């Protein structure tokens, strides 16, 4: 087991605004999966980062009265502080403006595409949506605007380098059909296969360098400084540049190929363009794409005008790290859209944590501290098969559901067997039940490790020390 490798990436985030709960979701799901594989004794590597060479970032910086590179540092510092509050255990944070860590690998990959004869120059005109950082077509528009971003696209006529993606349609389709590139859930696999069946078109892979972009922003196309790489070509390559691809990186040899966690909105980039680039370069494709849904609030897309935006920082300040992680893990399916409101969050917190896990741990450990002589740490916790199976299939919500079914079962056991009464009439029998309860609580503590790392530790420590854990979750009214 020790030599089993697990490499997982989050999408790299656009640093044009603060991260919202949707971004926190992607990152938390990723972290839970990595922590699970670490718990299973595998050697893991966890990458996240920011997608910085973009027009939307430049626009946001200027609106804020800042120079883009200075603006970036401020926003990226906030990303890392959010990730630290969420206990995200990443190994590396890659920034696509990093000229040492990212640019050489991105340029080496570009060079491979050139060598394969897959890059060519073409005069191009089209409608560019800055929100998507992609060209869109007339028929995508509603009242002349991009329906996702509510903004009118820019008409662009320019000479670009193109990537011959069309050449790889069949090869990509085969890799996906055979699950060599596994796309989870199956509905997303089906969706992308029907998209590929129409035939993939070549994609514009560079833009002329903008006069108002500072030096240090935008990766120069090798051999043509007047052009910078198209943002998706640049961004996707982060998954291997971060491992030192193109620079003799040992991490690349050790960990690639790995798994990408993404939202449903960026499926095409990851299941068509990215495999196309890798095939062209003769590199292995990712093993898995886990495609999650979108988080809505009260059934609607979070928006400032509707006033339903949920700020992860506020939730974290009010309820704490593990409570936020628990809600995302247990109440949102990693395969479908999910909903959150403040009310639903509070109710779930009180039921799952204050009355559920917190109360159960306190009851059991109070009994143990009163009646057992010493700590009762089991040698090694056996992980139940249901838990393992759910986690291996990325069904984090099912794994959490299983843990909570155990919590309910223990609650019921205490009520039915009433060890607190039994100790008065048959001390040894009462102690045996209390001992068993602590053992089972310990297993719950172990299973909670990927989802709620701090709570997991508190529970395990309490069992080992034969003490009541400090107040875990106070009720919120
Ligand atoms: O797409 N619910 O960056 P991004 C769930 N830079 N997930 C959501 C969400 C929501 N409401 N809103 C966004 C990008 N996300 C690119 C990625 S990767 C080489 C480049 C998810 O900051 C979204 O689906 O717009 C995406 O996976 C991630 O947040 C980053 O979004």
């Amino acid at each position: 087991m020790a030599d089993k490798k697990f490499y997982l990436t989050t999408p790299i985030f656009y640093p044009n605004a603060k991260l919202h709960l949707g971004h926190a979701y992607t990152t938390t799901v990723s972290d839970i999966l990595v922590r699970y594989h670490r718990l299973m004794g595998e050697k893991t590597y966890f990458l996240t980062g920011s997608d910085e060479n973009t027009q939307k970032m430049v626009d946001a910086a200027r609106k804020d009265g800042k120079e883009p590179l200075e603006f970036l540092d401020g926003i990226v510092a906030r990303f890392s502080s959010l990730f630290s509050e969420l206990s995200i255990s990443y190994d590396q944070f890659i920034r696509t403006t990093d000229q040492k860590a990212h640019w050489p690998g991105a340029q080496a990959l570009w060079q491979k595409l050139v060598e394969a004869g897959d890059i060519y120059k073409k005069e191009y005109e089209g409608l560019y949506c800055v929100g998507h950082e992609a060209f869109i077509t007339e028929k995508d528009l509603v009242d002349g605007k991009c329906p996702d971003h509510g903004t009118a696209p820019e008409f662009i006529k320019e000479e670009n380098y193109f990537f011959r993606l069309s050449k790889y349609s069949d090869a990509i389709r085969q890799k996906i059909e055979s699950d060599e590139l596994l796309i989870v859930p199956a509905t997303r696999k089906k969706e992308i296969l029907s998209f590929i069946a129409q035939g993939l078109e070549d994609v514009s892979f560079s833009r002329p360098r903008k006069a108002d972009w500072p030096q240090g922003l935008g990766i120069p196309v090798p051999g043509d400084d007047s052009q910078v790489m198209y943002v998706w070509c640049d961004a996707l390559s982060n998954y291997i540049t971060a491992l030192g691809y193109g620079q003799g990186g040992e991490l690349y040899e050790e960990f690639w190929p790995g798994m990408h966690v993404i939202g449903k909105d960026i499926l095409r980039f990851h299941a068509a363009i990215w495999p196309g680039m890798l095939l062209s370069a003769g590199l292995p494709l990712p093993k898995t794409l886990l495609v999650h849904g979108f988080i809505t609030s009260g059934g609607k897309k979070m928006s400032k005008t509707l006033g339903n935006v949920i700020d992860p920082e506020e939730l974290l300040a009010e309820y704490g790290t593990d409570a936020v992680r628990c809600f995302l893990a247990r109440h949102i399916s990693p395969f479908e859209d999910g909903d959150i409101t403040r009310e639903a969050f509070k109710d779930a917190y009180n039921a799952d944590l204050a009355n559920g896990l917190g109360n159960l741990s306190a009851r059991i450990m109070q009994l143990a501290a009163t009646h057992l002589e010493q700590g009762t740490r089991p040698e090694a916790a056996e992980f139940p098969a249901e838990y393992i199976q759910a986690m291996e299939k990325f069904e984090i919500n099912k794994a959490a559901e299983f843990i909570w079914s155990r919590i309910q079962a223990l609650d019921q056991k205490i009520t039915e067997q009433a060890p607190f009464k039994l100790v008065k009439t048959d001390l040894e029998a009462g102690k045996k039940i209390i001992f068993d309860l602590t053992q089972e609580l310990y297993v719950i503590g172990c299973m909670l490790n990927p989802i709620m790392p701090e709570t997991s530790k508190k529970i395990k420590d309490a069992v080992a020390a034969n003490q009541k854990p400090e107040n875990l979750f106070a009720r919120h009214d």
Side-chain angles (χ1 to χ4, degrees):
M1 191 60 106
D3 59 356
K4 214 169 153 193
K5 306 280 165 53
F6 185 77
Y7 173 44
L8 185 143
T9 70
T10 71
I12 50 171
F13 301 95
Y14 287 131
N16 54 318
K18 281 179 28 168
L19 297 181
H20 58 59
L21 203 71
H23 305 118
Y25 181 69
T26 300
T27 318
T28 304
V29 163
S30 300
D31 187 64
I32 292 172
L33 292 174
V34 174
R35 283 182 189 266
Y36 165 75
H37 284 269
R38 221 179 269 142
L39 186 65
M40 293 297 120
E42 292 169 38
K43 197 167 177 198
T44 60
Y45 199 79
F46 182 14
L47 178 71
T48 188
S50 51
D51 190 354
E52 306 188 345
N53 299 304
T54 67
Q55 188 58 43
K56 62 171 100 195
M57 184 282 294
V58 174
D59 294 346
R62 300 254 152 89
K63 207 168 149 200
D64 204 32
K66 295 211 172 81
E67 274 312 303
L69 294 173
E70 171 205 352
F71 174 82
L72 274 175
D73 287 340
I75 286 243
V76 168
R78 295 193 66 171
F79 284 12
S80 31
S81 102
L82 174 66
F83 290 173
S84 126
E85 280 169 54
L86 271 171
S87 280
I88 305 300
S89 58
Y90 59 87
D91 294 292
Q92 190 186 154
F93 189 104
I94 182 95
R95 299 182 53 176
T96 58
T97 49
D98 189 328
Q99 299 191 25
K100 287 206 180 81
H102 178 61
W103 290 21
Q107 289 174 327
L109 183 59
W110 177 283
Q111 206 58 49
K112 287 277 178 201
L113 310 191
V114 171
E115 283 162 24
D118 291 335
I119 296 286
Y120 62 94
K121 224 172 182 180
K122 184 171 125 176
E123 174 82 24
Y124 187 68
E125 55 179 60
L127 298 168
Y128 193 82
C129 170
V130 173
H132 275 109
E133 294 288 1
F135 282 101
I136 58 177
T137 62
E138 197 87 47
K139 68 175 186 327
D140 294 328
L141 305 179
V142 175
D143 297 331
K145 291 181 176 169
C146 162
D148 292 340
H149 297 97
T151 47
E154 272 176 68
F155 176 75
I156 286 174
K157 185 172 177 183
E158 60 193 23
E159 199 171 49
N160 293 335
Y161 289 98
F162 268 67
F163 171 56
R164 222 180 283 283
L165 180 62
S166 58
K167 182 171 150 188
Y168 296 98
S169 293
D170 274 346
I172 297 168
R173 182 179 50 72
Q174 279 165 22
K175 299 273 185 192
I176 295 174
E177 267 173 356
S178 67
D179 290 341
E180 212 179 312
L181 167 53
L182 177 68
I183 300 185
V184 182
T187 46
R188 298 288 168 212
K189 172 178 169 180
K190 221 172 125 190
E191 175 188 324
I192 195 71
L193 281 173
S194 71
F195 175 70
I196 296 172
Q198 300 160 26
L200 296 172
E201 287 177 16
D202 292 354
V203 268
S204 159
F205 245 34
S206 73
R207 305 283 316 275
R209 172 177 287 289
K210 290 242 179 149
D212 67 340
W213 276 27
Q215 276 302 322
L217 199 69
I219 308 179
V221 164
D224 185 351
D225 275 0
S226 72
Q227 296 258 330
V228 295
M229 287 183 198
Y230 168 49
V231 55
W232 276 97
C233 159
D234 156 354
L236 289 161
S237 68
N238 94 88
Y239 299 136
I240 58 174
T241 63
L243 300 179
Y245 168 79
Q247 306 200 73
E250 283 167 19
L251 286 171
Y252 175 79
E253 294 305 323
E254 191 173 1
F255 285 103
W256 185 255
M259 155 170 191
H260 305 308
V261 173
I262 58 169
K264 64 180 183 182
D265 58 328
I266 54 176
L267 174 62
R268 288 183 188 181
F269 298 99
H270 285 79
I273 298 182
W274 179 226
M277 290 167 72
L278 292 166
L279 285 168
S280 170
L283 301 176
L285 301 197
K287 290 183 197 155
T288 314
L289 288 181
L290 171 62
V291 192
H292 65 74
F294 258 42
I295 299 193
T296 54
S297 181
K300 299 205 173 68
K301 188 175 166 180
M302 289 184 214
S303 92
K304 285 208 182 116
T305 1
L306 289 174
N308 64 347
V309 176
I310 297 192
D311 179 353
E313 280 168 359
E314 272 172 34
L315 277 186
L316 285 161
E318 202 173 334
Y319 291 92
T321 303
D322 279 3
V324 174
R325 293 175 64 106
C326 177
F327 184 93
L328 297 178
R330 177 156 150 73
H331 297 285
I332 307 230
S333 154
F335 303 155
E336 283 153 40
D337 290 349
D339 197 65
I340 178 171
T341 59
R342 282 176 197 286
E343 212 45 42
F345 188 94
K346 189 175 81 181
D347 291 348
Y349 171 89
N350 284 330
D352 296 342
L353 298 176
N355 302 341
L357 178 64
N359 187 35
L360 178 81
S361 317
R363 271 173 98 190
I364 294 178
M365 292 320 299
Q366 176 68 50
L367 285 168
T370 316
H371 300 289
L372 303 183
E373 285 78 26
Q374 77 257 329
T376 53
R377 180 203 286 268
E379 290 301 292
E382 274 282 323
F383 288 96
E386 291 94 324
Y387 172 80
I388 300 272
Q389 278 159 16
M391 282 296 201
E392 293 290 333
K393 289 196 278 182
F394 320 115
E395 293 171 342
I396 294 168
N397 58 338
K398 282 206 182 147
E401 201 52 54
F402 175 74
I403 299 174
W404 262 268
S405 74
R406 283 288 180 105
I407 292 172
Q408 276 157 12
L410 283 199
D411 260 332
Q412 207 175 342
K413 187 166 167 179
I414 299 176
T415 311
E416 281 168 16
Q417 305 190 354
F420 41 90
K421 277 193 202 147
L422 194 58
V423 283
K424 291 180 193 146
T425 54
D426 184 345
L427 183 61
E428 284 315 306
K431 276 164 76 171
K432 172 76 173 69
I433 294 173
I434 296 168
F435 176 80
D436 290 347
L437 287 168
T438 62
Q439 300 284 297
E440 292 182 58
L441 180 64
Y442 190 82
V443 176
I444 289 176
C446 292
M447 289 193 287
L448 280 172
N449 169 294
I451 301 174
M452 304 168 79
E454 199 183 320
T455 306
S456 160
K457 182 169 185 317
K458 280 187 187 163
I459 292 177
K460 289 183 345 189
D461 287 352
V463 176
N466 203 36
Q467 271 173 11
K468 219 174 133 177
E470 55 190 281
N471 200 1
L472 284 177
F473 301 101
R475 250 192 92 79
H476 280 234
D477 291 305

